[in-house]
Amino acid sequence: MSCKKHTLTLAIAALAGGLTLGAQAQPAYEPQGLYSAEDILDADVYLTSDPEERVGEVEDILFDEAMQVTALVIESGSVLGLGGRDFIVESGQFTLMTHFDDDGDTEHRVMLEASAEELEGYPVYSDDWWERARERSREAWLQTQEGAESAWQTTQEGAERAWETTRENAQRAWEAARDAVGADD
């Protein structure tokens, strides 16, 4: 059965090139175009270092204010000694592998860029983690807005000063030209 395999990096809006699994080369990346969160939820999760070892499945997808994927919540079950916990994997630490069958079925696999030992250090998804992360994200968003407003104000003030300077210089040039023409008479 022939199939096409594609790789998508879910990161602050960045698409990545092909993914190599072992010695098996993947064809060039061809974007799917549009992805549904519903299709990615419950996708199986594997380690790129051990693509046959299932780590868990995607339980949730976390977005920021700009609707960019910032993290996945992975439900681990009791594999790899993780004790059946939900943990957070941030963007940049995973890729999405999409497999298209000839019959039109699509299978998504999330590939983690981590070892089994590194997974143990990933944050546990809990109400406390959620509240802290949400507050940090909100503060970062507000700071970004304030910075953008400040930059806009500075730009606007600079443009006004430049316009005034240009107008004053044009007025002086006009007066100098008028005086020069009047002096020739």
Side-chain angles (χ1 to χ4, degrees):
M1 170 170 78
S2 73
C3 65
K4 298 178 187 176
K5 292 185 181 177
H6 304 280
T7 304
L8 169 70
T9 298
L10 294 173
I12 323 171
L15 296 175
L19 174 68
T20 304
L21 298 176
Q24 182 181 16
Q26 302 297 317
Y29 172 73
E30 295 179 36
Q32 182 175 319
L34 190 61
Y35 294 82
S36 168
E38 183 178 358
D39 291 342
I40 297 168
L41 290 172
D42 297 327
D44 289 333
V45 179
Y46 297 85
L47 301 176
T48 56
S49 61
D50 189 1
E52 299 306 315
E53 181 68 43
R54 184 178 176 276
V55 173
E57 65 182 35
V58 176
E59 179 69 17
D60 202 354
I61 301 171
L62 306 179
F63 300 91
D64 63 13
E65 290 288 336
M67 297 309 296
Q68 299 295 315
V69 173
T70 61
L72 298 178
V73 177
I74 307 299
E75 181 180 36
S76 69
S78 60
V79 298
L80 298 175
L82 295 173
R85 65 184 178 104
D86 292 351
F87 59 92
I88 304 298
V89 179
E90 295 179 4
S91 291
Q93 297 177 323
F94 62 87
T95 55
L96 179 68
M97 183 177 182
T98 303
H99 175 92
F100 299 98
D101 289 332
D102 288 336
D103 62 2
D105 287 342
T106 303
E107 175 192 350
H108 297 292
R109 277 186 170 204
V110 173
M111 305 302 291
L112 300 183
E113 304 290 333
S115 67
E117 295 78 31
E118 290 171 324
L119 288 182
E120 293 177 29
Y122 280 25
V124 174
Y125 183 70
S126 66
D127 289 340
D128 289 340
W129 179 92
W130 174 256
E131 289 303 320
R132 285 190 313 272
R134 193 171 71 169
E135 184 60 28
R136 283 191 309 267
S137 294
R138 187 179 80 69
E139 288 171 6
W141 182 256
L142 290 174
Q143 288 175 353
T144 300
Q145 281 183 315
E146 289 169 6
E149 288 171 5
S150 175
W152 171 249
Q153 183 66 30
T154 301
T155 301
Q156 188 176 16
E157 289 168 0
E160 288 171 4
R161 282 191 302 273
W163 174 248
E164 276 301 311
T165 301
T166 301
R167 204 173 79 176
E168 289 168 5
N169 289 340
Q171 183 67 34
R172 280 194 291 271
W174 167 253
E175 290 170 1
R178 186 186 63 205
D179 290 347
V181 171
D184 289 339
D185 290 335

